[in-house]
């Protein structure tokens, strides 16, 4: 008697069937002139030219043990270029908790602290006059506004914000320029700014009251579109395509990677604090969110945010180096570009840097970055530090996690790796 075997459909056919349900691809070509209106061609390259360069990156691994114990391991690495006899610095940090934990946030706090300490040593003990510091990632803090989460993460988040404030304050003194370079940014801050401004020009009847309401929603374009439809009702003539473009989830990085064919950068955009977007506040000090933090007695976090938002803001630009097909997001302290406006907490919306006073300073920095990129894919020093900082899975499971287990058991904890994690490792074959 033969056994009948039930066969599934061909996997390629299954994939094509699933993909066919996606909406047609939209690439924003109809708005290329708008997006390219802030694009500046730039080819120059030069060496460090008097800068000492510090590049910092980190990685993390997390273990969940029986008994609800979680342990995060972070390895942060800083490489220094242009200074004799300065060895790379590798630092391990651990965070142990008996509840939920955010490993990425802890990793960011460790990276910022290591970067700040290395910069301080170069400036104060080595007599270096100018330092360019590059962090793999963003300098713009984004965090959840849920009070329960903030209560759990107050210490780690506050530490990250405190270290960021120290770094930005050092930038104000003039000897340091700190940059955050992101290779996979998914935000659409710049697109939203351009599209919303164009929409408000097309529909001036929306008025200043609504204009502020729309601009504060730019981080969630679908909310902008919903609000506009509520305001305008059926009067959508001339803005329907704008709304469709705004609703489409295209990142800034994608736009400037795909639509630009020469090296260059976008006009820098000054970012307002994320916490200001709690209507109707028009400053950090007046915001409902700050009042909620005070009411929840999250005083360390309030103090950290007060300090951060008393400083000048951070700006972003999208930069494409010569020979690269990809654009990268670069976060820049506005002081490095000659900013002399209100403090960060008093900025109510994202704005482009006015005039062109910023241009020589930005192009000097980007010419240094262009000179660091022997590989058209990315900046060579960032690749080097990433390779050292990355904690490989086998290394973690066989060495670091066993050490954590031994230490926990020596303290009297009867723990083991959770069975779900063990099952996943078997399936992945570690």
């Amino acid at each position: 008697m033969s056994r009948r075997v039930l066969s599934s459909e061909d996997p390629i056919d299954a994939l094509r069937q699933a993909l066919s349900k996606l909406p047609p691809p939209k690439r924003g070509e109809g708005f290329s002139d708008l997006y390219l209106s802030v694009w500046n061609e730039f080819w120059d390259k030069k060496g460090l030219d008097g800068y000492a360069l510090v590049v910092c990156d980190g990685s993390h691994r997390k273990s969940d043990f029986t008994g609800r114990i979680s342990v995060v391991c972070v390895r942060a690495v800083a490489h220094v270029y242009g200074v004799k006899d300065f060895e790379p610095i590798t630092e391990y940090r651990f965070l142990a908790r008996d509840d939920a934990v955010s490993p990425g946030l802890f990793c960011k706090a460790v990276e910022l602290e290591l970067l700040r300490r290395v910069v301080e040593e170069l400036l104060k003990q080595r007599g270096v006059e100018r330092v360019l510091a590059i962090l793999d990632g963003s300098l713009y803090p984004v965090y959840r506004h849920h009070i329960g989460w903030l209560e759990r993460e107050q210490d780690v988040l506050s530490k990250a914000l405190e270290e960021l404030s120290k770094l930005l304050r050092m930038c104000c003194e003039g000897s340091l320029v700190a940059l955050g370079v992101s290779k996979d940014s998914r935000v659409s801050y710049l697109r939203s700014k351009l599209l919303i401004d164009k929409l408000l020009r097309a529909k001036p009847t929306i008025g200043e009251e609504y204009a502020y309401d729309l601009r504060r929603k730019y981080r969630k374009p679908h909310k902008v579109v919903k609000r506009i439809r509520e305001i305008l009702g059926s009067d959508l003539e001339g803005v329907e395509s704008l709304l469709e473009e705004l609703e489409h989830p295209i990142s800034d990085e994608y736009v400037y990677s795909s639509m630009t064919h020469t090296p260059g950068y976008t006009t820098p955009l000054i970012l307002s604090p994320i916490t200001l977007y709690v209507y109707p506040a028009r400053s950090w000090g007046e915001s409902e969110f700050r009042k909620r933090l005070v009411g929840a007695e999250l005083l360390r976090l309030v103090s950290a945010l007060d300090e951060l938002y008393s400083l000048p803001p951070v700006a972003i630009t999208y930069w494409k180096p010569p020979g690269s097909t990809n654009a990268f997001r670069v976060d820049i302290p506005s002081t490095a570009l000659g900013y002399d406006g209100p403090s960060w907490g008093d900025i109510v919306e994202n704005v482009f840097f006015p005039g062109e006073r910023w241009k020589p300073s930005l192009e000097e920095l980007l010419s240094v970055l262009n000179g660091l990129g022997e590989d058209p894919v990315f900046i060579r020093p960032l690749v080097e530090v990433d390779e050292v900082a990355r904690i490989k899975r086998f290394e973690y499971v066989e060495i670091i996690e066993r050490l954590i287990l031994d230490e926990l058991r020596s303290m009297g904890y009867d723990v083991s790796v959770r069975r779900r994690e063990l099952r996943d490792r078997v399936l992945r074959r570690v």
Side-chain angles (χ1 to χ4, degrees):
M1 181 178 178
S2 62
R3 178 177 297 178
R4 184 181 179 186
V5 178
L6 296 177
S7 60
S8 64
E9 64 180 308
D10 182 89
I12 298 299
D13 289 340
L15 172 63
R16 288 171 178 164
Q17 184 176 355
L19 296 179
S20 69
K21 297 177 181 179
L22 290 171
K26 292 180 63 177
R27 307 182 188 279
E29 280 87 348
F31 293 87
S32 59
D33 288 346
L34 178 65
Y35 297 144
L36 295 178
S37 67
V38 293
W39 184 252
N40 304 271
E41 292 189 8
F42 184 68
W43 299 77
D44 290 359
K45 291 184 180 182
K46 71 175 183 179
L48 288 174
D49 192 27
Y51 284 104
L53 174 67
V54 184
V55 182
C56 186
D57 195 6
S59 67
H60 59 81
R61 292 281 182 179
K62 177 173 171 280
S63 293
D64 294 314
F65 300 104
T66 53
R68 295 187 63 207
I69 293 176
S70 296
V71 178
V72 177
C73 170
V74 167
R75 177 160 68 197
V77 178
H79 286 181
V80 179
Y81 301 82
V83 179
K84 292 182 179 179
D85 303 322
F86 204 112
E87 296 296 323
I89 298 173
T90 300
E91 186 154 309
Y92 287 87
R93 292 287 183 87
F94 294 88
L95 177 65
R97 294 268 289 271
D98 59 357
D99 60 1
V101 63
S102 299
L105 184 59
F106 179 55
C107 186
K108 176 69 75 171
V110 175
E111 291 174 25
L112 286 167
E113 181 187 359
L114 177 59
L115 183 62
R116 187 261 306 167
R117 284 174 25 224
V118 172
V119 169
E120 284 183 341
E121 181 173 343
L122 289 172
L123 292 175
K124 296 178 180 179
Q125 299 179 28
R126 297 297 187 98
V128 174
E129 294 184 359
R130 294 199 305 171
V131 176
L132 176 63
I134 301 178
L135 182 74
D136 190 349
S138 173
L139 296 179
Y140 180 66
V142 177
Y143 44 86
R144 295 175 62 185
H145 285 60
H146 186 268
I147 292 296
W149 182 86
L150 292 167
E151 287 174 337
R152 292 194 305 271
E153 302 295 346
Q154 174 178 212
D155 288 343
V156 176
L157 176 57
S158 297
K159 175 65 174 176
L161 295 172
E162 289 159 1
E163 289 296 338
L164 177 60
S165 292
K166 291 175 184 177
L167 201 65
L168 294 178
R169 191 165 290 282
M170 292 169 68
C171 292
C172 294
E173 297 168 0
S175 298
L176 168 68
V177 177
L179 304 177
V181 179
S182 304
K183 51 183 175 293
D184 292 303
S185 176
R186 298 180 181 180
V187 304
S188 57
Y189 301 157
L190 198 154
R191 280 186 68 244
S192 294
K193 170 67 176 174
L194 290 169
L195 290 168
I196 292 172
D197 283 356
K198 183 176 177 66
L199 186 144
L200 292 172
R201 290 193 298 271
K203 292 290 183 181
T205 55
I206 289 177
E208 182 57 34
E209 179 183 355
Y210 290 133
Y212 173 70
D213 187 28
L214 293 174
R215 285 176 171 134
R216 50 183 276 276
K217 288 185 171 72
Y218 73 95
R219 287 181 177 83
K220 296 183 178 179
H222 67 281
K223 287 193 173 184
V224 175
V225 174
K226 179 181 178 182
R227 184 66 176 127
I228 291 170
R229 293 188 186 278
E230 290 173 353
I231 295 168
L232 296 178
S234 60
D235 181 24
L236 298 177
E237 184 179 355
V239 297
E240 189 66 60
S241 62
L242 270 170
L243 296 182
E244 291 177 1
E245 178 69 9
L246 189 58
E247 207 166 18
H248 192 64
I250 304 175
S251 70
D252 293 337
E253 183 181 295
Y254 173 85
V255 165
Y256 291 102
S257 292
S258 62
M259 291 189 179
T260 57
H261 305 292
T262 60
Y265 61 90
T266 60
T267 299
L269 182 70
I270 297 170
L271 298 181
S272 58
I274 185 172
T275 48
L276 286 182
Y277 292 84
V278 184
Y279 190 78
R282 290 177 179 262
S283 73
W284 159 244
E286 299 173 359
S287 68
E288 291 299 318
F289 180 63
R290 187 183 186 282
K291 294 175 184 176
R292 288 170 55 203
L293 294 179
V294 173
E297 297 185 351
L298 298 175
L299 301 184
R300 181 181 178 186
L301 182 55
V302 172
S303 177
L305 288 168
D306 284 349
E307 169 65 15
L308 181 65
Y309 294 144
S310 71
L311 299 171
V314 166
I316 61 170
T317 183
Y318 290 90
W319 156 68
K320 179 180 278 191
S324 176
T325 58
N326 298 314
F328 305 100
R329 170 181 163 182
V330 181
D331 294 26
I332 309 170
S334 58
T335 49
L337 305 180
Y339 178 81
D340 58 0
S343 63
W344 207 350
D346 292 322
I347 298 175
V348 298
E349 64 174 279
N350 293 353
V351 293
F352 285 107
F353 245 97
E356 292 197 346
R357 286 191 306 163
W358 49 268
K359 203 164 189 177
S361 298
L362 179 58
E363 291 189 347
E364 178 187 347
L365 293 170
L366 294 182
S367 69
V368 173
L369 293 185
N370 285 342
L372 296 176
E374 295 178 1
D375 186 331
V377 175
F378 206 48
I379 303 173
R380 177 176 50 82
L382 273 177
V383 174
E384 292 174 351
V385 75
D386 175 75
E387 290 174 351
V388 178
R390 191 177 302 275
I391 304 175
K392 296 178 175 60
R393 175 170 289 278
F394 181 82
E395 171 193 1
Y396 181 75
V397 171
E398 293 298 319
I399 301 174
I400 300 174
E401 189 174 67
R402 289 190 179 189
L403 175 62
I404 295 170
L405 271 169
D406 289 345
E407 290 296 317
L408 285 171
R409 289 167 179 163
S410 71
M411 295 170 63
Y413 289 97
D414 183 15
V415 294
S416 60
V417 178
R418 292 181 63 189
R419 282 178 289 181
R420 179 185 295 273
E421 174 65 17
L422 288 173
R423 182 201 67 187
D424 291 345
R425 289 180 187 175
V426 171
L427 293 175
R428 292 193 300 263
R429 300 183 186 275
V430 187

